[in-house]
Amino acid sequence: MQPAELLRCQQRDAGLEPWDRWGTYLSDRQWGTVREDYSADGNAWASFPFDHSHLRSYRWGEDGLLGLSDEQGLLCLAPVLWNGKDPILKERLFGLGNPEGNHGEDIKEAMYHLAGTPTGSYAKALYRYPQCPFPYQQLRDENRQRGRDQPEFELVHTGAFDESRFFDLEVEIAKATPEDLLIRYTVTNQGPEAAAVHLLPSLWFRNTWSWGDGDAAHGQIEALADGVKTSAIPGLPAMELRCSETGDWLFTENETNTEALYEQPLQQPYVKDAFHRYVIQGEQDAVNPQRVGSRSALHLQRTLAAGEVWCVDLRLCRHDRRHCDERNLLASEHASTLLQQRRAEWSEHLGSITGALDLEDQAIHAAAAAGLFWCRKFYNWNVSRWLRGDRTGPKPPEARWHSENAYWKTLRSRNVISMPDCWEYPYFCQWDLMFHAVAFAELDPGEAKRQCRMLRQASYTANNGQSPAYEWALSDANPPIGAWAALRIAQIEQRCGGRLDNAFLRSVLRELLLEYGWWANRTDRNGDSLFEGGFLGLDNIAIFDRRYPLKDGSRIEQSDGTAWMGMCSLNMLEIAVTLHQDRPEYAELTDRFIDDFCVLCFALNSPGVRGFVNWDEQDGFYYDILKRPDGSSDYLRTRSLAGLIPLLGIASFDADQVARIPNLDVRRTISEVARERGAPFDHINHLGSWHRDRVLYSLVPPSRLRRILTRVFDENEFLSPYGIRSLSKVYETSPYSYVEGSDSATISYSPADSPVAMFGGNSNWRGPIWMPINFLLIEALQKYGHFFGDDFLIEFPTGSGQQMNLWQISLELQKRLVGIFRRDPEGRRAFNGDVDLFQKDPLWRDLFLFNEYFHGCNGAGVGASHQTGWTAVVAKMLTQLKRWN
């Protein structure tokens, strides 16, 4: 019998039941985003700071505390807390804007995702609310005075959690039907003494009516005898919300308090911060006595004894009840039964994927999956409308039309998208999203395919075929890994017992061909098949900023740009070969990718007419090249992940595939072209070599592979107890410096936070461990291992005397990465760092965060703390390790 959650996924994907209509789609942060910035100087952080968020209505979305919404973000539901001491209600998660943090934007809260299912049939998360006044200003002041060479000052360092003086708020959501939801808020006083707490379950409409459209419905919420009812608006039927507890229903409008913000008269008396003023300041006339408005909240309060638990159940469903469970879900026995059933189905769904993982690994896997599902958020942005402004709002500055985002005026987004981090990066990021999609593949293939294709829809792509990078810089060039993601999703789905979805691959290949053309025509600056593209996702990995020329006009020829393109052409080739199995016409398309890969491989490995090559025979490594205006060049000898990206360009094909598509035996093509040019291709004579009945395609010749891997597996260079570092550890004691004209810079091994302000300074590629690149390297090693088998053995670690094949090494690397989350023999989890509270206290030690990256030596979590999207690939590592151990 199929798991119940799998049946719901099938109903959803077939269009039979709208299981995805409601979900945990409410953003964790809307303020401080480019979308909400209407300033003259384009300073999004100053334009809409946190201090405005409870006073000012948003234009493009909403945010809240562990909330939910419909898939169009029209109606939102979230809990609100007050400890009786804070100056504002706890409506949303607090954090520092980019200029405030010593390492960029930074959440300053304790929040954890605990459970989630593909259809949102069950979700659970935890928020920890201090009982002392929330230290907003202390967090700002302390971080502001710290330099980049100092660690961040976190909420735990303020003493806010001392003696467990906090409330736990657990949010659980269980769907009885697609449009009948049970929401349970469980508040626990974890402190040693009685403490008062206010809970305000809040329901509100996103403001769609204040921007001059004229036809946008003004959603209204009105009181019922035992709850509230919403008006029906286009795209959403009338809904009702009822609660198991009785209290005072409060009403106001989702409108800006212009008087408090701008000293301008209110257009009407009831505004967004009314509940703050009513609850905290006792302003009885702040709320609408007519008990109607576009925002509503049920005011509940209780004093909880030490350890006391308070459960509040709510039911959100269609007012007409046609699509709702007929049970009274608010009756305690029915609510408990539904929650128990959905919890069991959540566990069953995970069990069908993980098999017999031990309890420790099950907990890691479940938390990673939960973060993936909770980080899917409604994202709304019409760039053309944002450029020209709203009739009722301030006119955007004329300079906006001369920014790079103006080129993207056709971009129209109104989708649920997987966010890189639900608070720190609450917007799409293209190359992050590809890793998210692959992480989804085992959990929910349908969602994986949707996310993989999302940004290549017509409403996102530019006229030249480029797909957008991310909100802050839509035109940035991201590594072209879309073909890799699509191929891996199809393969993972097939391995998990599904069919190979050729229809998906055909659709995605058509979209990818447009982007492939953009890469081929726009980023090969010199026409010599060396590709650039700015930072290519590796923000500050180089000694100089790779986006710009130096002051004397010298430019950086990147070792990874051409490698990314080589990997892309191979992934496209693999898709075409796969599709050829039932569509012979795809054989013609393979010729394009074979030819392109050969040219790229030659460009990366041969000096050609340029007189330089990224490969340094002296060091046995691929380096960036500094190319001067006078034609001379020099190596920028920093051993970093940029020099390992050529390893990712690897594929092999078996004899049967070559028999069906003879051009896969690339030696024929190379020899024919060599005769025509009158010279051999000495630098790529490894292409097309046969071994164990397979033919090899790789950017890196086997002789160079061994030299590079000797450094990669050296614990004094790249190999950490927790994975592969982004920069060689040799620069810890011997920093690398370079002087070119009036430009000079030094790069050293920095295993944790960023030491430089490049790209805002909140991410660091100068030493830490990055899960996504490690994942790609592991897959590349497995492909090399599949080709060479035991005929390629190498020391692991370097100098240990222990010989291993590349497949075995790939598993050992996965164990190191998974070890970031597993308890060590002392019971500590590396990602928690040196905070004893998190490591030892029973209330904390089994909670997981999936950071953006990890300390290069001790595995502590660094950067964004809820970047479950790409760090969730650890879940796939767990299942693969289980299969092979």
Side-chain angles (χ1 to χ4, degrees), residues 712-713 715 719-724 769 771 774 777-779 781-782 794-798 800 802-820 822 877 880-882 884-885:
V712 174
F713 302 151
E715 293 176 312
L719 184 60
S720 160
Y722 301 99
I724 301 300
I769 295 152
M771 193 72 68
N774 271 257
L777 286 169
I778 286 167
E779 288 201 339
L781 291 176
Q782 291 179 347
I794 190 169
E795 276 188 318
F796 184 87
T798 299
S800 67
Q802 177 176 262
Q803 298 285 320
M804 301 176 70
N805 67 40
L806 295 179
W807 178 266
Q808 293 169 329
I809 290 172
S810 77
L811 298 180
E812 289 299 316
L813 288 175
Q814 290 188 72
K815 291 176 185 176
R816 294 184 181 223
L817 290 159
V818 171
I820 291 171
R822 285 172 170 165
M877 296 182 198
Q880 184 171 84
L881 286 171
K882 181 62 181 177
W884 287 92
N885 289 320

Side-chain angles (χ1 to χ4, degrees), residues 457-674:
Q457 301 175 50
S459 58
Y460 288 90
T461 54
N463 294 333
N464 62 2
Q466 184 185 10
S467 52
Y470 57 104
E471 182 178 279
W472 287 85
L474 295 169
S475 295
D476 267 356
N478 281 187
I481 59 173
W484 165 79
L487 184 66
R488 294 300 289 122
I489 290 166
Q491 292 169 339
I492 291 168
E493 181 181 28
Q494 185 181 35
R495 180 187 54 73
C496 291
R499 59 182 178 83
L500 183 65
D501 193 345
N502 284 332
F504 162 69
L505 287 176
R506 286 193 295 270
S507 296
V508 80
L509 183 60
R510 287 193 293 269
E511 295 162 351
L512 287 165
L513 281 170
L514 293 174
E515 188 174 72
Y516 189 81
W518 173 82
W519 265 93
N521 288 299
R522 295 296 295 270
T523 60
D524 178 12
R525 183 174 60 226
N526 300 316
D528 55 8
S529 298
L530 281 182
F531 285 80
E532 302 90 18
F535 73 105
L536 283 173
L538 311 182
D539 298 11
N540 49 34
I541 202 165
I543 188 170
F544 297 114
D545 192 333
R546 302 192 298 173
R547 293 171 295 177
Y548 310 114
L550 273 61
K551 295 185 182 72
D552 66 359
S554 298
R555 290 183 173 271
I556 298 174
E557 301 287 352
Q558 299 167 206
S559 58
D560 54 327
T562 301
W564 283 119
M565 195 60 183
M567 175 190 173
C568 177
S569 63
L570 274 189
N571 295 145
M572 299 284 276
L573 174 60
E574 290 181 272
I575 293 175
V577 170
T578 300
L579 292 174
H580 175 266
Q581 295 175 16
D582 66 345
R583 297 287 181 92
E585 63 268 23
Y586 281 93
E588 298 178 7
L589 192 56
T590 63
D591 292 346
R592 171 76 272 164
F593 303 127
I594 291 170
D595 288 351
D596 285 354
F597 181 76
C598 290
V599 170
L600 292 163
C601 187
F602 184 77
L604 185 67
N605 292 290
S606 169
V609 297
R610 296 184 304 275
F612 66 86
V613 64
N614 290 100
W615 173 258
D616 179 22
E617 185 62 29
Q618 171 186 309
D619 286 4
F621 207 80
Y622 289 97
Y623 290 129
D624 285 354
I625 297 287
L626 188 73
K627 185 177 180 182
R628 303 184 179 96
D630 64 5
S632 64
S633 61
D634 194 11
Y635 290 112
L636 296 175
R637 286 188 168 89
T638 55
R639 290 191 291 280
S640 72
L641 282 181
L644 303 186
I645 301 304
L647 295 174
L648 308 183
I650 162 68
S652 65
F653 302 95
D654 61 36
D656 289 342
Q657 291 171 314
V658 175
R660 291 193 296 269
I661 308 176
N663 282 350
L664 285 175
D665 189 351
V666 72
R667 291 176 301 179
R668 302 176 187 176
T669 301
I670 293 175
S671 61
E672 288 175 2
V673 177

Side-chain angles (χ1 to χ4, degrees), residues 86-145:
D86 286 346
I88 57 173
L89 298 178
K90 180 57 69 173
E91 287 185 302
R92 58 187 54 81
L93 297 166
F94 171 71
L96 305 180
N98 186 287
E100 297 175 308
N102 61 323
H103 296 289
E105 58 261 45
D106 186 18
I107 190 173
K108 299 299 183 185
E109 299 274 15
M111 181 270 283
Y112 300 88
H113 302 124
L114 304 180
T117 60
T119 64
S121 60
Y122 181 68
K124 185 178 181 181
L126 169 68
Y127 173 67
R128 299 211 138 142
Y129 185 38
Q131 293 173 1
C132 65
F134 197 93
Y136 293 105
Q137 199 58 41
Q138 183 184 4
L139 289 164
R140 284 174 167 146
D141 292 344
E142 182 63 33
N143 281 281
R144 186 179 290 117
Q145 71 182 19

Side-chain angles (χ1 to χ4, degrees), residues 320-349:
D320 60 18
R321 302 291 182 91
R322 286 184 298 157
H323 300 270
C324 295
D325 194 303
E326 291 304 318
R327 294 174 293 174
N328 177 14
L329 291 184
L330 295 182
S332 60
E333 67 275 13
H334 292 318
S336 296
T337 298
L338 177 62
L339 282 167
Q340 289 170 7
Q341 180 182 350
R342 292 295 182 257
R343 289 171 190 150
E345 291 167 353
W346 161 70
S347 181
E348 178 190 36
H349 173 249

Side-chain angles (χ1 to χ4, degrees), residues 32-35 379 381 405 426-429 469-474:
T33 60
V34 173
R35 284 158 288 160
Y379 184 89
W381 194 23
N405 280 0
Y427 42 79
F428 65 79
C429 286
Y470 57 104
E471 182 178 279
W472 287 85
L474 295 169

